[in-house]
Amino acid sequence: MTSVYFEGLENELADFGYNRDGKKGKKQLVAGLLTDGNGEPISIQLYRGNTGDPPTFLDAVQKLKVRFGAEEVALVGDRGMIKRLGKQALGEAKFCYVTALTDPQIRALLAKKRLQLELFEESRRKWSWRASVTCSGAIPRPGHGNEPAAPTSGLGVPWLQAKIRARNLQVEQKPRSEPTSSLKQAQALLIKYRLQGWVR
């Protein structure tokens, strides 16, 4: 789905909406395009310019099922597109879908021990922050104590390692850098990015 800004004066579908073109003050049309596996267009539908993603997604599901008689389809969409009604329509059509989980959904799955974190990473990692700040991080395994919540930032352990390396280099190159402030910075980053439960 995309939007196309409108330059004319009159069009029954032209309206103000979420403008992907960055054209402020311009009405637009919303277009939904279906393609085959090779990327060839098979259907296009125009909507009012203020139409959001979910209604167009429902139309696409119906079109695939009824007009094209599709039976085995896997649709991929973001959380803004595949919402509750979309999931319901996909279930009725017996289609599969892939979308992102929200933070609360991930936390609920972790609480129910439905995610196998050992499939993501099993190794322990060690690194140090100058001034004897040592961290060893391990992603916990389900069933081995209380699992901390997953970081919501998507940054994770590798990003934190890079920040630590950069700070170590700064302390090394600038004698006036306070080693004790390194510890405070490390602790603040762990809290800010919700990694405190992931790093010991």
Side-chain angles (χ1 to χ4, degrees):
M1 193 187 91
T2 190
S3 58
V4 182
Y5 73 92
F6 184 73
E7 289 284 7
L9 299 174
E10 292 184 20
N11 185 298
E12 64 183 54
L13 295 178
D15 209 339
F16 294 103
Y18 173 65
N19 196 302
R20 295 166 178 82
D21 297 312
K23 299 285 186 180
K24 292 183 178 178
K26 298 282 187 186
K27 290 186 177 182
Q28 65 179 16
L29 305 176
V30 170
L33 176 69
L34 287 176
T35 67
D36 64 14
N38 296 318
E40 292 294 323
I42 58 174
S43 172
I44 187 166
Q45 173 86 35
L46 292 177
Y47 300 89
R48 286 191 69 84
N50 61 356
T51 306
D53 290 359
T56 64
F57 184 76
L58 291 173
D59 280 356
V61 171
Q62 183 181 19
K63 222 179 256 186
L64 286 168
K65 188 68 176 177
V66 178
R67 182 172 167 192
F68 297 108
E71 293 182 2
E72 292 185 11
V73 175
L75 296 165
V76 180
D78 61 23
R79 292 188 303 246
M81 182 172 284
I82 305 181
K83 293 187 172 284
R84 185 177 56 82
L85 291 176
K87 291 176 184 177
Q88 184 179 331
L90 287 166
E92 291 169 2
K94 295 187 168 61
F95 290 166
C96 300
Y97 67 90
V98 177
T99 190
L101 295 172
T102 63
D103 179 80
Q105 288 171 324
I106 293 171
R107 291 176 187 277
L109 289 170
L110 283 168
K112 293 177 185 174
K113 299 186 179 11
R114 298 284 300 275
L115 293 180
Q116 293 177 281
L117 294 178
E118 70 271 12
L119 297 177
F120 297 98
E121 184 175 350
E122 294 183 17
S123 61
R124 291 181 70 83
R125 301 176 181 207
K126 264 198 171 171
W127 63 95
S128 65
W129 195 299
R130 197 163 301 282
S132 71
V133 179
T134 302
C135 308
S136 83
I139 293 182
R141 302 172 75 116
H144 292 78
N146 295 326
E147 291 83 10
T152 59
S153 62
L155 299 172
V157 172
W159 175 85
L160 185 61
Q161 284 178 300
K163 292 291 280 185
I164 289 172
R165 279 191 221 99
R167 177 61 183 175
N168 284 346
L169 186 61
Q170 181 184 347
V171 170
E172 192 174 296
Q173 292 176 346
K174 297 182 179 179
R176 294 185 66 188
S177 293
E178 284 292 324
T180 53
S181 70
S182 296
L183 176 60
K184 290 179 183 176
Q185 286 183 22
Q187 291 168 337
L189 286 171
L190 292 176
I191 293 167
K192 180 177 180 180
Y193 295 105
R194 300 183 189 179
L195 287 164
Q196 65 267 41
W198 292 65
V199 176
R200 297 191 280 278

